[in-house]
Amino acid sequence: MPGLLVEKLPSGNERYRVRVEGRPGHRIRLHIGPDHRNFMDHYHAARAGIELPPEPENLIDRFVRGSLDWLVASYLDSLEAKVIAGLASDLTLKQRRPLLLDLCNRLNSSGHRFGQYRMEMPTFEIVKAHEAMANTPGTADNMLKAVRAMYKWSSERGITRVNPATGVSRFNINRGGARPWTVEDLRQYRSVHLPGSTAHLCITLFMFTACRISDAYRLGRGNEFTRDGVLGLGWQPQKKGSSYVEIPVLPPLYKATRAATVQGNAYLLTEYGQPFKSAEGLRNKLKKWCLDADLPDLSSHGIRKGAGKLLAEEGCTQYEIMAVHGHAEAKTSETYTSGAERWKLARQAMKRLEGMEW
């Protein structure tokens, strides 16, 4: 490249300068190296006598192209752009970023970081990383899900040829996820957390809206509306792909939202009278309330599942449950209706055998 000079510094690093075309005595420093994607722009500008300012720091440019570090940085950069454009959930990014960065920082049997190696991880290395997290199976499975999604993204763009995470078994397969709350669980919780408390309002909000915790901490008076003389609650779920939800505010929920001494923009307030800053903050608080009620194995998602099961057992159709839960696809609501419908069919079938002589 005409006019390009490479200078070795005492530190061992390299510095790049360019002679201005037609003025060989005048040299302009380049603030980026040849591995940077905008290097040619800086080079041609310098040849023309223009010194471009340093490029904003980009995580991708700090890694060797083709390494696992580089692939993870590229994927997270793309995912972040989708979040900004409203095409992906911020919760997905928050969950996957630390998991993938932790994978890069894990050491192999030789004591080297995974991130330094080529981006096409062997399947057996993914299995070993997954099994190393066996003491936290939920986190391990989320890591596996993030790796699988990253390689799917890179395969679709021709960056990698195969998805090495395909076929790797999860720990929690077929376990059914969070345990649904029962009527007995709800009664036990409410015997400890009485009406007027934030803990009581929280369980009432979950039960009579079937909302996710990512929505619960945001809901408040601003989501209320009146239609045909009926007070309703409407919100767009944070989970990507969910449909807008509008449901009537039933008397128990109305009473609970008005019972609190301190009222704010959100229904659920901290002990300082402020809305929870995140779903994680509310999740941690609910966990404490469950422990206080001697219900250590229950969670907010279990309330949602319990509400769905209750709706199905009360005869609600699949599409009615979809409307309450914000499901965009009928197959999601089948989780709740299939069991109830199978029981009804079984009862009808067994009823035919009642008069059989045996």
Side-chain angles (χ1 to χ4, degrees), residues 293-318:
D294 197 24
L295 298 167
D297 60 335
L298 295 177
S299 66
S300 61
H301 193 65
I303 308 173
R304 177 176 168 85
K305 293 175 73 173
K309 185 178 180 182
L310 183 63
L311 288 170
E313 291 177 351
E314 289 299 315
C316 294
T317 68
Q318 193 168 305

Side-chain angles (χ1 to χ4, degrees), residues 68-69 72 97-107 113-115 121 125-126 129-130 133 143 146-147 150-151:
L68 181 62
D69 280 328
V72 167
R97 188 194 300 277
L99 292 172
L100 292 173
L101 294 180
D102 180 67
L103 177 65
C104 287
N105 290 324
R106 285 185 173 273
L107 304 180
R113 292 176 59 254
F114 279 140
M121 281 188 75
E125 290 288 8
I126 296 177
H130 183 241
M133 303 170 68
M143 182 275 290
V147 172
M150 176 181 69
Y151 278 110

Side-chain angles (χ1 to χ4, degrees), residues 16 28 56 99 120 133 176 193 196 206 211 215 242 292 333 343 345:
Y16 296 87
I28 290 181
L99 292 172
E120 294 92 350
M133 303 170 68
H193 303 292
F206 278 121
C211 66
D215 301 316
S242 298
D292 292 341
S333 297
W343 171 248
L345 290 172

Side-chain angles (χ1 to χ4, degrees), residues 267-322:
Y267 291 138
L268 299 175
L269 303 176
T270 66
E271 56 265 38
Y272 303 105
Q274 298 296 320
F276 287 88
K277 293 183 178 180
S278 67
E280 284 303 313
L282 178 57
R283 182 178 284 108
N284 292 335
K285 196 66 176 178
L286 178 59
K287 187 65 177 177
K288 179 183 180 302
W289 290 331
C290 288
L291 290 173
D292 292 341
D294 197 24
L295 298 167
D297 60 335
L298 295 177
S299 66
S300 61
H301 193 65
I303 308 173
R304 177 176 168 85
K305 293 175 73 173
K309 185 178 180 182
L310 183 63
L311 288 170
E313 291 177 351
E314 289 299 315
C316 294
T317 68
Q318 193 168 305
Y319 293 99
E320 287 172 335
I321 297 176
M322 284 176 64

